[in-house]
Amino acid sequence: MEVPILKQGPYLIASIQSALSDEDLVQLRDALVAQVGKLRSRGVIVDVTALDVMDSFATRTLRDIAHMIRLRGAEMVIVGIQPEVAFALVRLGLKLEGVATALDLEEGILYLNRKMTESGKKR
Amino acid sequence: MGDDRHPRTLRTTASHHAARNRIEGRPEGNDTVRVPIKSDRDIIFARQKGKEMASKLGFSSTDLTLIATSISELARNIVLYANTGEIILGTVHQGEKRGLSVVASDEGRGIPDIQRALQDGFSTSHSLGLGLPGVRRLMDEFEISSEINRGTTVSVRKWVP
Ligand SMILES: Nc1ncnc2c1ncn2[C@@H]1O[C@H](COP(=O)(O)OP(=O)(O)O)[C@@H](O)[C@H]1O
Ligand SMILES: [Mg+2]
């Protein structure tokens, strides 16, 4: 199942709706990396609220996507990691290093807004 | 939440076939589900089935996630390293205890050094190398046997607390 990507102001929001096959994940990665350039987005939110399992492949792919988005000059934040999933991730030893996370969509947008003002001040 | 009340077991068997026969020689009730693993889509199906069975046994939602994550890692290893295989899900009993058994079995290339494969971060595919050691932490019992060019069987269990 393809992940819908919505444009909201300077941001892109990808809401994962159900369990993703590897192909879906790779498609999400390619779509986000392309869209960030095309729409000149400053930030990306990936909502994983609907994911009941995040295994090592899914986690690594999401981490890769976050790094690629940063290389494209935008920020990415993962929102909605469920408590059970967080517990499993810690037990597995998956760290999501260098990837921003936030509780939910609202917090994710606040995080990106903060990032935008920070980088604005620096200029 | 999961805890460390149950000791984890690690048995490594030299002969993959001995282990396989032992596993297949277990009494199988009609509550055994075999899920063939041929592609990454089967991984999703296997973990959904596992979650369903575990939920009927009365596991907590945290345990359901730990079980589903374990199935996902084991099924992924089959797809990655053996191409095809199967996941056998079943309920197990030990006195009063009830639990879920997950057996991931393939006839692929096998694992040359099991001890190394069980170390965090060891991977022959530039992957994270957290699958096998992670599953060992997620489940209560863990048994692995592998023989070069014959195949690999990983058998894990989790008991309802
Ligand atoms: N079913 C299998 N058949 C053959 N080799 C396997 C199998 N499962 C795991 N392995 C080997 O063990 C290593 C560690 O596995 P794992 O802990 O899942 O980490 P990863 O899959 O990230 O490499 C793999 O890189 C692979 O070499
Ligand atoms: Mg693996």
Side-chain angles (χ1 to χ4, degrees):
Chain A
M1 210 183 117
E2 225 173 291
V3 180
I5 300 174
L6 299 172
K7 181 175 153 55
Q8 185 173 314
Y11 306 142
L12 292 178
I13 301 173
S15 306
I16 296 173
Q17 308 286 314
S18 64
L20 296 182
S21 70
D22 298 359
E23 217 177 292
D24 299 331
L25 267 168
V26 169
Q27 201 166 46
L28 173 66
R29 182 193 70 198
D30 296 347
L32 281 176
V33 172
Q35 298 267 48
V36 155
K38 210 162 82 196
L39 300 171
R40 306 200 146 272
S41 301
R42 306 292 311 277
V44 172
I45 298 173
V46 177
D47 188 349
V48 299
T49 308
L51 286 188
D52 65 341
V53 176
M54 282 173 66
D55 65 5
S56 59
F57 179 81
T59 309
R60 185 170 71 132
T61 308
L62 286 171
R63 195 190 62 189
D64 289 350
I65 295 175
H67 293 165
M68 288 166 85
I69 296 296
R70 188 164 304 144
L71 288 171
R72 298 281 277 153
E75 289 288 334
M76 179 171 128
V77 56
I78 295 174
V79 304
I81 295 180
Q82 294 302 296
E84 292 87 358
V85 173
F87 185 69
L89 288 180
V90 170
R91 269 282 169 101
L92 269 182
L94 291 167
K95 292 190 197 73
L96 272 175
E97 298 112 324
V99 179
T101 52
L103 190 63
D104 53 21
L105 203 55
E106 209 181 314
E107 293 287 331
I109 289 172
L110 288 176
Y111 169 85
L112 289 178
N113 287 346
R114 262 200 315 276
K115 279 277 164 191
M116 297 308 115
T117 38
E118 272 171 29
S119 63
K121 272 179 207 147
K122 267 183 240 153
R123 275 184 203 150
Chain B
M1 293 237 163
D3 58 37
D4 297 311
R5 253 175 292 169
H6 306 286
R8 289 183 189 88
T9 61
L10 162 68
R11 290 190 211 102
T12 52
T13 317
S15 160
H16 175 239
H17 274 273
R20 211 180 147 89
N21 290 338
R22 197 172 64 245
I23 286 155
E24 289 181 344
R26 279 176 197 154
E28 282 189 11
N30 40 15
D31 54 356
T32 299
V33 176
R34 308 175 85 103
V35 184
I37 304 294
K38 297 195 186 77
S39 80
D40 68 280
R41 281 177 196 278
D42 299 324
I43 300 175
I44 299 175
F45 184 69
R47 70 189 188 212
Q48 277 165 352
K49 272 279 161 230
K51 234 180 155 175
E52 243 169 62
M53 278 184 89
S55 157
K56 282 192 198 129
L57 282 165
F59 280 103
S60 69
S61 71
T62 299
D63 280 344
L64 293 184
T65 303
L66 299 184
I67 289 165
T69 308
S70 300
I71 294 172
S72 203
E73 294 296 336
L74 296 177
R76 175 165 304 286
N77 282 352
I78 291 176
V79 173
L80 270 178
Y81 309 115
N83 293 321
T84 62
E86 66 176 343
I87 299 275
I88 306 160
L89 303 161
T91 52
V92 282
H93 304 263
Q94 207 176 81
E96 292 285 279
K97 283 201 300 182
R98 286 182 320 150
L100 185 80
S101 146
V102 179
V103 179
S105 167
D106 66 63
E107 296 182 344
R109 65 171 94 134
I111 303 175
D113 187 342
I114 292 178
Q115 293 300 334
R116 260 185 102 194
L118 290 173
Q119 282 167 15
D120 276 340
F122 176 80
S123 175
T124 55
S125 65
H126 302 287
S127 173
L128 298 174
L130 292 171
L132 291 176
V135 170
R136 204 173 158 193
R137 287 189 288 268
L138 261 38
M139 302 294 279
D140 294 329
E141 289 176 26
F142 182 101
E143 209 176 320
I144 181 168
S145 71
S146 190
E147 214 179 330
I148 301 290
N149 294 329
R150 283 280 171 90
T152 302
T153 296
V154 184
S155 173
V156 298
R157 288 174 182 192
K158 198 162 189 75
W159 299 103
V160 182

